[in-house]
């Protein structure tokens, strides 16, 4: 990626809703941590979500193929 492409992207991001900007910044920091050799540390909210997912999997609760498709379709429209 060239500097011009990055600058272009950042100009566009300025028009995004604040929540989307925060999400992008968090993602960029995660990517940066991977380059710096830092270990990733999940937030308390992420850890709680992981725990819920593991509990659900342990109890055999899984989404149907249709539910998964609907979720992906929803997020692709955003």
């Amino acid at each position: 990626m060239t500097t011009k492409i990055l600058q272009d992207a950042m100009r566009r991001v300025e028009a995004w809703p604040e929540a989307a900007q925060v999400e992008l910044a968090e993602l960029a920091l995660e990517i940066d941590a991977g380059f710096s050799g830092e270990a990733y540390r999940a937030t308390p909210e992420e850890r709680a979500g992981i725990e819920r997912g593991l509990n659900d999997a342990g109890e055999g609760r899984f989404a149907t193929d249709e539910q998964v498709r609907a979720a992906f379709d929803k997020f692709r429209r955003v």
Side-chain angles (χ1 to χ4, degrees), residues 7-78:
Q7 290 171 346
D8 233 13
M10 293 310 295
R11 273 192 290 277
R12 293 175 69 176
V13 167
E14 290 174 356
W16 291 5
E18 184 177 350
Q21 291 181 20
V22 169
E23 187 175 347
L24 177 64
E26 289 171 349
L27 189 61
L29 291 173
E30 286 180 31
I31 292 169
D32 182 61
F35 290 119
S36 65
E38 294 177 27
Y40 178 76
R41 301 212 183 269
T43 66
E45 293 83 11
E46 290 170 327
R47 292 172 67 90
I50 293 166
E51 192 63 35
R52 280 191 310 275
L54 290 172
N55 288 338
D56 286 348
E59 295 174 8
R61 291 187 291 195
F62 297 96
T64 65
D65 288 345
E66 183 55 38
Q67 290 170 320
V68 171
R69 269 192 294 282
F72 275 102
D73 288 345
K74 175 183 175 184
F75 290 110
R76 286 185 181 125
R77 284 187 223 126
V78 173

